Amino acid sequence: MATGAGWAPGRPVERHGAPRGGNARSKSVVPGPRRPSPSPARSRPAADHSGSADLCRVRVAVRLRPKNSEDLAHGADFDSCVELQPESKRLKLKKNNWSCESYKFDEVFSESASQKRVYEAVAKPVVESVLEGYNGTVMAYGQTGTGKTYTVGRLGKDDPSERGIMVRALEHILSSLSFETDCVAISYLQLYLESVHDLLAPEKTNIPIVEDAKTGEVSLPGAAIVEVKDLEHVFQLLQIGEANRHAANTKMNTESSRSHAILIIHLQRNTRTKEENGSSLYDVRHDTFPDDLPLVLKSKLLIVDLAGSERIDKSGSEGHMIEEAKFINLSLTSLGKCINALAENSSHVPTRDSKLTRILRDSFGGTARTSLVVTIGPSARHYSETSSTIMFGQRAMKVVNTIKLKEEVDYEILYKKMEREVDQLTSEMERQQKVIRSEKMQMDKRLKESERSFHDLRMTFNMQIENLEKENRHLESSVKRLTQDLDKERGQNNLLSKQVTELEKLLDENKQQQLENLSKTKIITDEFKEYEKEMGELVRKLEEERCCSSSMKDRMSLLQQQLCDAQSSAQESMARELEKELTKATEEFTIEIQSLKGKISGLISEKESIYDELKSTQEKVQLEMSQRKGLEDQILRFKQSVSDSCAEESKTSCSMVRSGSGLGNTAFVSKSEKLREALSGQRGTISKIFEEVGLPNVLALLKSEDLDVQIHAVKVVANLAAEDVNQERIVEEGGLDALLSLLETSENTTIHRVTAGAVANLAMNGSNQGVIMNKGGARLLANVASETDDPQTLRMVAGAIANLCGNEKLHLMLKQDGGIKALLGMFRSGHADVIAQIARGIANFAKCESRMISQGHRKGRSLLIEDGVLSWMVAHSTMFSASTRRHIELAFCHLAQNEDNTCDIIASGGIKELLRISRESPREDTRNLAKKALDSNPAFLRE
């Protein structure tokens, strides 16, 4: 790595370029005594690339970022506050539906603008001016997460259309230079915590900033300067710099830049050569230097990727990240003060308030041609940040620079030229003295060398032929071996296909047999019902016979009475007749009762046999159903193995490109809007009730003995807890204790569901999370999850635990109370909403744990792996919806960042999952995290 090679100082000559035209806004403002012009100097106008008279004014373009997933998730709650008018180069900023402001910029780019168009409109005129010998600056400014690094620093090595300004500018410069006479080198720096670090040489920190007392030029003498020759070398250097740049994960951006990146391109061109070839771009007069002196143009291009301004409450920064955000905002504030002073033509510009403004001193109000691109987001949630960014751009448009051309005498080239001439004259004199005497010796020597070369060439040719024959034989054997392997795999595939066909036939037979069994079961059931009807009829007849029997008994008693009367009246003949008649009737009655009892016992035995037959048939049906399910699983496994082997076979013959597309669901959006309106109306009603009744009275109803009153009171508290302003008050009034008591004592499913939802709402507040854990909330939630199978209750419990997983300070306590195991245990429900909350909790836990490890607050194996989360994610990562998969993939990538998890990830087959995520994940930041984990871990690379 060279440090300053080819950049020898020479005698400086500066040329001033003033804008043409009489526009008052583009009038050149020459700085005061800060930048005195050395003598001699020659005035030279800059080339007109834009056709505008405002050549020296800072050009400002605005670029709108497309809506991201977070903007789309909020839906109609936060509509777009920006309206672009590219045809008139204007922008409307809407504060609300009836108030908006319009601003004019040099360029306005919509969210569909390509990287190429942004470069050609913003940076290309500056790059061409730098090629002509003037200094230039291209800078990106905006809120965090609005696309500054994408616009400026995107490498786009795989996709050239994605390349940012840095790569395109260097590509433009390299294609315009002649490396025989010209030279280009770069320095890549970052301003981190108000300290200048070298991104190409990380050991160089706190690099000093030096200002020339005479010219006012700013330099960084300790920074590495690397000469570049081709675009591949540029990519390597930029990748090294990006790897060494400080970045962090915030709520607004998963890869948020925590430092200002500054790429300095040093350019040196030989003007004499160009003028001799008739291709000079300048009107050069040689009244200062003789025509035989070599002159060089030295220019410098600064490409600045500023760190985004952020608010702590929105970005969620904490710990060391707060210190980083403080320095970022302080440096951006100092830059804004300088822009304001220059825009207002103030006599004092506070450039020494920050190292950033000292480095950019030449870019605003100095001698460089400057272009600024401000990036904004569409969401109305960030209206104040968007307005501040736009006003910064408006003020920057009022800043006017006086560009200068720096031309120096290249004494190094002059010295080399004179040295060459001396060497040529000396060698010519020696040649003339030796030519006669050495001619014969040279001819003999050439002949011997020719013979030796011919012999060597013959030997080399023979060796090459032998090597080629060996390689040919080796390739033929490899082709045969591959052909045999391919034939074996095809045979295995055919065998598996036959087995699948046979299993499908067997499955069809089982289905047919099952249908027959079902029909038999139906017939038996119908017969059973008929038998039950017959039994009911017989029972009815038995009742009738009993009634008849009772009547017969009455008749017998009457006859006995008559018999007694007859005996008393001495009518013996009549008594005998009555006695015979009574005996006959008793025998008939006994016979009839016995026949009825026999029929009933027969029907009962027939009913028992039919019941046994029905039970055995049902067992057969269940057995056949289980067999059918096993066959279906076996067929699926065989089909999967066939598809895998087919995929391997296709990989040996050709490569495949996978692509995917996503579809939006407008019906779901409209449905969610209606649901949101209903919820807002319900919350308004509850708020009115709360204002009239009072929180203590509502909390007192939680202890009511009436179950309905208790349920309604819990619902009111849950809805009140959904509002941030009520959460702390509910906890202070004892509402959390009452809710946890209900979770522990109540056995009602509805109370469990609504109470878990209220606890989940309270757990959204960071200050409440520690209170919930200290009072045993996680343990009670885990107990409820183990005792219920209601999906809605499980969804509420999983949501509450997922919110607690977002606090890294509570991870160990959460694990000890069984929260993680309970989270995994709720997967048994199979409900999509429950699984989504499980995935969200795991992602929160892994993300916070990764942040603690990266900051050095924790070491060791992940707590999630100890409870079996890793194996669960590997087994189910592709089974769920897109949003659930996104959470699981993000958690997996964060776990892979910890080197202590390497062995577990390899043992569970996680390498394959990481590769899938790095290639197929729909989110670019997730793919980048997976690639970073794979590339940074040597064990993963070996696997």
Side-chain angles (χ1 to χ4, degrees), residues 868-889:
V869 173
L870 180 61
S871 58
W872 179 84
M873 289 195 298
V874 173
H876 304 92
S877 60
T878 59
M879 296 172 55
F880 310 122
S881 63
S883 61
T884 304
R885 286 202 308 272
R886 185 173 73 250
H887 286 306
I888 293 176
E889 290 172 356

Side-chain angles (χ1 to χ4, degrees), residues 449-648:
E449 289 178 355
S450 299
E451 291 176 353
R452 192 182 303 110
S453 300
F454 178 74
H455 183 266
D456 292 341
L457 287 173
R458 174 179 282 180
M459 294 294 294
T460 304
F461 182 71
N462 292 333
M463 291 176 64
Q464 289 179 350
I465 290 176
E466 292 177 358
N467 292 331
L468 289 173
E469 289 178 352
K470 290 180 181 178
E471 291 180 0
N472 190 20
R473 288 194 296 271
H474 179 67
L475 289 173
E476 287 178 354
S477 62
S478 300
V479 169
K480 289 181 181 179
R481 187 170 63 255
L482 289 173
T483 305
Q484 293 175 358
D485 294 340
L486 189 61
D487 292 337
K488 289 181 181 179
E489 290 181 358
R490 286 177 178 170
Q492 292 177 357
N493 289 341
N494 294 332
L495 180 61
L496 289 172
S497 301
K498 290 180 181 178
Q499 291 179 354
V500 169
T501 306
E502 293 176 358
L503 289 172
E504 288 179 347
K505 290 181 180 179
L506 183 60
L507 181 62
D508 293 336
E509 293 176 359
N510 287 335
K511 287 181 178 178
Q512 187 65 31
Q513 187 175 0
Q514 185 178 1
L515 291 174
E516 292 177 358
N517 291 333
L518 289 174
S519 61
K520 289 180 180 179
T521 304
K522 187 175 181 182
I523 293 171
I524 292 171
T525 304
D526 295 338
E527 291 178 355
F528 183 72
K529 290 180 179 179
E530 291 178 359
Y531 282 124
E532 284 185 343
K533 289 181 181 179
E534 291 180 1
M535 285 185 65
E537 186 67 25
L538 288 173
V539 169
R540 186 180 59 79
K541 289 181 178 180
L542 180 61
E543 292 294 331
E544 291 177 356
E545 290 295 331
R546 286 178 179 173
C547 294
C548 182
S549 174
S550 62
S551 62
M552 290 293 291
K553 286 181 179 180
D554 294 338
R555 185 179 174 187
M556 284 178 62
S557 60
L558 181 61
L559 289 174
Q560 288 178 354
Q561 183 66 35
Q562 290 178 0
L563 181 61
C564 292
D565 295 340
Q567 288 177 353
S568 61
S569 60
Q571 295 178 358
E572 297 178 356
S573 60
M574 189 176 182
R576 282 194 296 269
E577 290 177 1
L578 289 172
E579 187 174 0
K580 289 179 181 179
E581 188 177 353
L582 179 62
T583 305
K584 184 178 180 181
T586 303
E587 291 175 353
E588 291 177 355
F589 179 70
T590 304
I591 292 170
E592 190 173 355
I593 287 174
Q594 290 177 353
S595 65
L596 287 173
K597 288 182 178 180
K599 288 182 180 180
I600 290 171
S601 62
L603 287 174
I604 290 172
S605 61
E606 188 174 359
K607 176 183 176 182
E608 290 177 351
S609 62
I610 291 171
Y611 179 75
D612 294 338
E613 185 178 358
L614 180 62
K615 188 174 181 181
S616 63
T617 305
Q618 288 177 347
E619 292 177 352
K620 289 180 181 178
V621 169
Q622 291 177 355
L623 180 61
E624 289 175 357
M625 288 289 285
S626 62
Q627 290 176 353
R628 177 188 173 188
K629 187 175 181 181
L631 289 172
E632 288 177 348
D633 294 338
Q634 191 174 2
I635 289 172
L636 288 175
R637 287 196 297 272
F638 275 116
K639 286 184 177 180
Q640 184 66 29
S641 61
V642 169
S643 63
D644 292 341
S645 60
C646 291
E648 291 177 359

Side-chain angles (χ1 to χ4, degrees), residues 297-333:
L297 289 174
K298 286 190 175 181
S299 56
K300 182 170 62 175
L301 173 62
L302 270 68
I303 303 178
V304 185
D305 178 16
L306 294 176
S309 60
E310 63 181 56
R311 291 185 177 179
I312 305 302
D313 55 346
K314 289 187 178 182
S315 64
S317 299
E318 54 187 29
H320 185 65
M321 293 172 61
I322 295 178
E323 191 73 11
E324 295 173 340
K326 181 179 71 174
F327 279 98
I328 291 170
N329 292 335
L330 283 175
S331 59
L332 293 177
T333 302

